[in-house]
Amino acid sequence: MSTLKLERVTKQYGSKTAVNGINIEVKRGEIFGLLGANGAGKTTTMRMVLGLILPDEGKIEWKGKGYTEELKSLLGYLPEERGLYPKIKVSEQITYLAQLRGMGRKEADQNLRSWLERFEVSEYYDKKVEELSKGNQQKIQFIAAVIHNPEILILDEAFSGLDPVNVELLKKNVKEVRDQGTTILFSSHRMDHVEELCENICILHKSNTVLKGNLKEIKRSFPRERILLDTENEVKGLTSIRGVVEVNRLQTWTEIHISHPDAAQEILRTAIQQGEVNRFQIMEPTLNEIFIKTVGGNHE
């Protein structure tokens, strides 16, 4: 049974359709990617999953059941717009939020200290939120979302404002939460993060689902139109090969875009005839390329 299931869910605001018949299922211990341009319906979908707003049509099931008050203790939410109180101490704020989710104060305090240690910010226990950098505020906001050990976690732009080192630290902890069996609905502007973390995805465009399924299978369904070529000497005549659309000579290799699969073998033959080939690779499409092809240039 899926932990989270949306079936033909629709939401309208007056004459505007915000979400139009979305169907998704998220298994226990899975990170599911929800993607789309601004106004596509991602935030509305997440708010319906959280029970903050109700769908006009369709149904949402959490562990096979409809919404109940008990669900509040099962859900965790990291919104895109942060909501911590700047002048309240981290310890007071996070333990209070955990208590609202049904956790005892002592257990909440133990969990908080453990999470602060995992994020290497134990010294912030008694600091006010406004005293922290934006990146460290983001860590505290994440802790607020997971402090009560939720079974379903909603992450909206979880890595916003973090430097590369802290992005890796947060990704590591998101994976650990997943491995403990938490069901995660994940949205991000960074397609590389989605590729790394998500097994299945759903792309929304103007309230409609335009692409959905297993990410590996989706990639296999799109043509491979990019080649990486590394040779000892510059290869001449690539642009004259039928099916070659663009040749970009980079610092350490050449990137070639093609419109026809037969062009790949001709590129390789041409390169071998002119010298030693260190690397020749036909690349699968990136999620960013798939996204642009699917929804056009209106991505975030």
Side-chain angles (χ1 to χ4, degrees):
M1 179 188 295
S2 300
T3 303
L4 174 63
K5 183 177 181 180
L6 281 70
E7 188 174 336
R8 301 187 305 277
V9 170
T10 297
K11 184 64 182 179
Q12 289 189 256
Y13 295 103
S15 60
K16 176 179 172 55
T17 301
V19 177
N20 187 22
I22 187 173
N23 294 283
I24 62 174
E25 293 189 37
V26 192
K27 303 187 298 291
R28 182 178 184 273
E30 177 188 358
I31 304 176
F32 188 100
L34 187 62
L35 312 175
N38 289 323
K42 302 188 305 298
T43 300
T44 299
T45 299
M46 289 182 168
R47 287 175 177 169
M48 287 191 288
V49 169
L50 289 162
L52 298 176
I53 56 177
L54 299 176
D56 296 320
E57 297 178 17
K59 63 180 181 179
I60 301 176
E61 292 184 346
W62 301 262
K63 300 177 70 175
K65 300 178 180 179
Y67 186 84
T68 64
E69 283 297 309
E70 296 175 345
L71 185 64
K72 290 181 179 179
S73 64
L74 302 181
L75 293 170
Y77 180 39
L78 175 62
E80 182 175 5
E81 295 183 0
R82 310 312 174 209
L84 295 175
Y85 296 99
K87 297 188 180 298
I88 299 179
K89 290 182 179 180
V90 167
S91 55
E92 294 174 356
Q93 187 163 179
I94 304 305
T95 53
Y96 174 70
L97 292 173
Q99 286 177 280
L100 290 179
R101 292 291 187 264
M103 180 171 279
R105 183 174 181 82
K106 183 177 180 181
E107 184 183 5
D109 186 72
Q110 290 174 341
N111 277 14
L112 172 59
R113 291 180 185 274
S114 174
W115 273 106
L116 290 174
E117 185 176 338
R118 287 166 72 172
F119 277 118
E120 303 170 5
V121 290
S122 297
E123 67 273 20
Y124 295 151
Y125 179 86
D126 277 323
K127 286 188 177 292
K128 294 179 180 178
V129 171
E130 66 182 2
E131 298 178 80
L132 310 184
S133 67
K134 288 184 178 180
N136 284 321
Q137 287 183 26
Q138 177 69 347
K139 294 178 185 177
I140 301 304
Q141 184 87 43
F142 177 81
I143 292 172
V146 299
I147 186 71
H148 58 296
N149 303 317
E151 294 186 30
I152 301 172
L153 180 60
I154 313 298
L155 299 179
D156 194 358
E157 295 300 330
F159 306 118
S160 176
L162 295 178
D163 60 53
V165 172
N166 282 315
V167 165
E168 292 305 312
L169 181 60
L170 184 53
K171 278 197 293 190
K172 175 177 177 288
N173 281 283
V174 169
K175 291 175 182 177
E176 289 178 359
V177 169
R178 173 202 63 193
D179 293 343
Q180 291 166 4
T182 302
T183 298
I184 302 175
L185 188 60
F186 176 80
S187 178
S188 176
H189 292 104
R190 291 287 303 272
M191 298 296 163
D192 54 334
H193 293 162
V194 176
E195 286 195 79
E196 180 179 349
L197 295 171
C198 299
E199 178 183 352
N200 297 287
I201 65 167
C202 176
I203 297 179
L204 298 175
H205 183 54
K206 295 181 178 179
S207 80
N208 295 300
T209 300
V210 293
L211 190 63
K212 184 183 70 172
N214 179 273
L215 183 53
K216 290 182 179 179
E217 293 177 0
I218 287 173
K219 283 192 167 192
R220 284 196 292 266
S221 70
F222 278 76
R224 298 188 176 194
E225 299 176 335
R226 185 163 54 96
I227 294 170
L228 296 185
L229 179 65
D230 178 15
T231 57
E232 291 298 319
N233 303 304
E234 181 180 333
V235 179
K236 306 291 185 181
L238 291 175
T239 55
S240 63
I241 295 174
R242 180 178 173 273
V244 171
V245 177
E246 184 180 9
V247 177
N248 297 317
R249 304 190 191 281
L250 307 175
Q251 192 69 29
T252 55
W253 65 78
T254 299
E255 183 181 68
I256 307 163
H257 292 267
I258 62 175
S259 61
H260 195 280
D262 291 346
Q265 296 306 314
E266 185 60 32
I267 289 168
L268 180 58
R269 282 193 291 270
T270 300
I272 291 174
Q273 289 170 359
Q274 297 183 37
E276 185 175 345
V277 176
N278 299 322
R279 180 185 180 189
F280 175 84
Q281 186 173 2
I282 304 173
M283 305 295 293
E284 68 177 11
T286 65
L287 181 54
N288 192 64
E289 291 169 337
I290 291 171
F291 186 94
I292 293 172
K293 279 189 173 184
T294 302
V295 305
N298 299 316
H299 60 95
E300 297 164 301

